Amino acid sequence: MTNLSCGIDFGTSNSAIAINEEHRIQLVPVEQNSLTIPSAMFYKRRQHQPYFGKEAMQMFLAGEEGRFMRSLKRVLGTSIMNQGTMINGKPLKFQKIIGGFVQNLKEKAEAENQQSIEHVVMGRPVHFVDHNVPADDQAQLELEEIARSVGFKHVEFQFEPIAAAYAHEVGLLSEKLALIVDIGGGTSDFTVIKLSNKYITKSDRTEDILANTGVRVGGNDFDKNLSLSAFMPEFGYRSTYGDKGLEVPLKPFHEMSEWSKVNFLYTPKILMQTRQMVAQSHDRVRYQRMLSLLENETGHTLLETIEHSKIELTNSTTVTAPLEYIETGLSIDVESTVFELAIQKNLEKISAEALKCVELAGITPEAIGLVVLTGGSTEIPLVQHLFKNLFANADISEENKLSSVTIGLAHEAGRKFK
């Protein structure tokens, strides 16, 4: 038996695992032949063994009764971790829920290599929680405890943008001063680092890493703002009710636009309040659609439609989102200009954080020779345009956008667990 170690990228939207076997890196198929798996889980009614990834999403979207969850990474470091949630009428801690997902990745890798794996480097964002060091430390501790609970005896961490950097430097023949841009589902992380294939075997890269920054803005926030701008108005968002013409409560619409919060809307209290609001609504047709979302628990189905629309807008100026599952004949046309305007403030935060990283490195944007874009949201044309403008002197690398972090974590495992 050979000495195996692995790298795990537990992502907000998608996850992956790669094996390091004597410095040979192998991405593991984690769902049929796919090298990535949606970070989604589904507990069927009266069953306590969850389903994962696309299978979980398909079961839920097909109307199976049960509990669907996604974007679980965003729970780390928050009070929700300790609160837990109800699954089939029984309380279950999020440590156990997330542990089931991580264990599934570990089992897939062990089955692929027919031996156990005890050494792992887990990826982590630069900040799990913005501007809250104790919560950030707590999030890493929780993820470490989860990794150990599923059988990893040796657990290390690496920032996700640094891992992406390691994956890209394999093909570099000369030293490059690089900015790594990792826009994931939940966070955007940045690293300024000196890269060269001559540095791959270095055990200590401290002197090569000039700065790290990160902000809790990512693809899920793009989805949320697209939802609030283009979709939620068709469900009564910002409409009025009652004799005084007051604006309807906005919180349910915001929570309906976030993967990690939708399930908390499906309560008798919120249903009762929404039914009362429909009776007083000045836009009853649209607000009735909000009630339909709650009664039929189709919020996640809507978010799937919104995410699909976002992806289609990377190649189209207009997409038509079908909403037949809400109302016969209902659809929404979404323009790319509306999407770009919706995410403008997100991009301003991302841009500011990238420039902050360069400033902390003690250099100017002109000194960056390579920008490495990783993460699915870097496919968005406006994001690419942003970084080409900010770093006009730099080459843009877009290789292995969805797997570079995982590959880099496996490289790091080879260095840490010799």
Side-chain angles (χ1 to χ4, degrees):
M1 294 174 66
T2 57
N3 185 27
L4 293 182
S5 58
C6 71
I8 291 180
D9 179 16
F10 172 53
T12 304
S13 299
N14 295 282
S15 296
I17 183 169
I19 297 299
N20 188 315
E21 182 179 7
E22 297 177 354
H23 300 290
R24 293 191 301 272
I25 307 301
Q26 171 201 352
L27 283 161
V28 177
V30 283
E31 190 166 29
Q32 297 178 346
N33 294 322
S34 177
L35 300 177
T36 63
I37 181 171
S39 302
M41 300 176 68
F42 183 69
Y43 289 84
K44 286 181 69 172
R45 190 178 178 187
R46 299 191 181 93
Q47 290 189 15
H48 297 286
Q49 188 62 35
Y51 296 83
F52 304 99
K54 290 179 182 177
E55 183 181 20
M57 296 174 70
Q58 289 166 357
M59 293 177 74
F60 175 74
L61 296 174
E64 286 269 10
E65 290 189 39
R67 180 69 184 275
F68 178 74
M69 286 178 284
R70 197 175 175 189
S71 298
L72 289 166
K73 187 176 182 178
R74 283 201 155 186
V75 176
L76 294 167
T78 72
S79 59
I80 298 174
M81 276 295 288
N82 292 325
Q83 294 172 12
T85 189
M86 298 296 290
I87 302 291
N88 286 321
K90 294 184 178 181
L92 194 62
K93 294 290 187 182
F94 279 105
Q95 285 89 341
K96 182 73 172 177
I97 295 169
I98 297 173
F101 188 85
V102 174
Q103 184 172 22
N104 178 60
L105 293 174
K106 183 174 186 284
E107 289 174 352
K108 292 288 175 60
E110 290 175 337
E112 182 77 10
N113 292 273
Q114 297 186 330
Q115 69 178 88
S116 64
I117 304 169
E118 297 180 347
H119 299 72
V120 63
V121 175
M122 302 286 296
R124 59 151 293 169
V126 175
H127 301 299
F128 283 101
V129 183
D130 286 343
H131 313 301
N132 190 333
V133 174
D136 193 68
D137 292 342
Q138 180 64 27
Q140 178 169 312
L141 178 61
E142 288 165 352
L143 192 52
E144 179 178 352
E145 290 173 347
I146 287 166
R148 293 188 184 280
S149 73
V150 302
F152 288 114
K153 295 182 179 179
H154 307 278
V155 183
E156 298 283 348
F157 285 87
Q158 182 54 274
F159 291 139
E160 289 155 0
I162 293 177
Y166 294 161
H168 279 80
E169 74 178 345
V170 175
L172 293 179
L173 300 178
S174 60
E175 183 181 288
K176 290 270 191 180
L177 190 57
L179 173 70
I180 313 302
V181 178
D182 179 11
I183 303 181
T187 61
S188 294
D189 296 306
F190 309 92
T191 293
V192 175
I193 184 172
K194 297 175 186 176
L195 296 182
S196 171
N197 64 1
K198 296 181 294 185
Y199 303 158
I200 292 172
T201 58
K202 287 175 66 174
S203 58
D204 184 0
R205 299 297 298 271
T206 304
E207 65 180 17
D208 299 327
I209 300 167
L210 304 186
N212 290 299
T213 62
V215 63
R216 195 174 165 87
V217 176
N220 285 4
D221 299 286
F222 298 165
D223 294 349
K224 178 179 180 178
N225 287 328
L226 177 59
S227 172
L228 293 173
S229 295
F231 287 82
M232 285 297 109
E234 293 300 319
F235 293 83
Y237 182 55
R238 293 200 176 279
S239 61
T240 56
Y241 74 100
D243 295 338
K244 296 182 179 180
L246 300 175
E247 191 173 63
V248 297
L250 301 184
K251 184 179 178 182
F253 294 95
H254 283 258
E255 294 190 343
M256 186 62 77
S257 301
E258 291 192 55
W259 286 99
S260 59
K261 294 183 178 179
V262 169
N263 280 321
F264 296 103
L265 291 171
Y266 301 145
T267 67
K269 180 180 178 180
I270 291 175
L271 270 173
M272 180 185 68
Q273 291 172 341
T274 307
R275 287 180 181 128
Q276 292 173 345
M277 203 73 67
V278 168
Q280 304 176 62
S281 174
H282 298 160
D283 191 354
R284 192 169 298 182
V285 171
R286 289 186 174 88
Y287 204 81
Q288 179 67 41
R289 294 169 185 162
M290 183 63 169
L291 178 59
S292 175
L293 280 176
L294 296 170
E295 289 179 333
N296 298 315
E297 298 189 0
T298 47
H300 285 109
T301 307
L302 177 61
L303 283 174
E304 179 75 9
T305 301
I306 293 167
E307 184 180 40
H308 184 69
S309 298
K310 177 191 71 175
I311 293 169
E312 283 195 325
L313 284 171
T314 61
N315 297 310
S316 304
T317 57
T318 305
V319 300
T320 299
L323 300 172
E324 288 278 346
Y325 54 87
I326 295 167
E327 180 182 303
T328 302
L330 181 63
S331 65
I332 295 176
D333 292 330
V334 186
E335 304 285 339
S336 60
T337 51
V338 172
F339 173 55
E340 290 173 355
L341 185 62
I343 66 171
Q344 194 61 50
K345 289 185 178 179
N346 298 136
L347 294 185
E348 288 172 4
K349 291 181 181 179
I350 288 170
S351 173
E353 198 70 15
L355 292 174
K356 176 184 174 183
C357 190
V358 171
E359 182 181 355
L360 289 174
I363 59 174
T364 64
E366 292 73 23
I368 296 294
L370 175 68
V371 173
V372 175
L373 299 178
T374 187
S377 291
T378 58
E379 296 277 2
I380 296 170
L382 194 60
V383 172
Q384 297 181 0
H385 183 69
L386 169 68
F387 283 96
K388 287 174 183 176
N389 281 349
L390 287 176
F391 304 98
N393 295 341
D395 295 327
I396 306 293
S397 175
E398 303 180 60
E399 299 175 7
N400 298 320
K401 275 184 180 174
L402 298 181
S403 57
S404 60
V405 171
T406 318
I407 292 170
L409 291 170
H411 277 295
E412 179 77 338
R415 279 190 285 266
K416 288 185 177 291
F417 306 121
K418 291 182 179 179

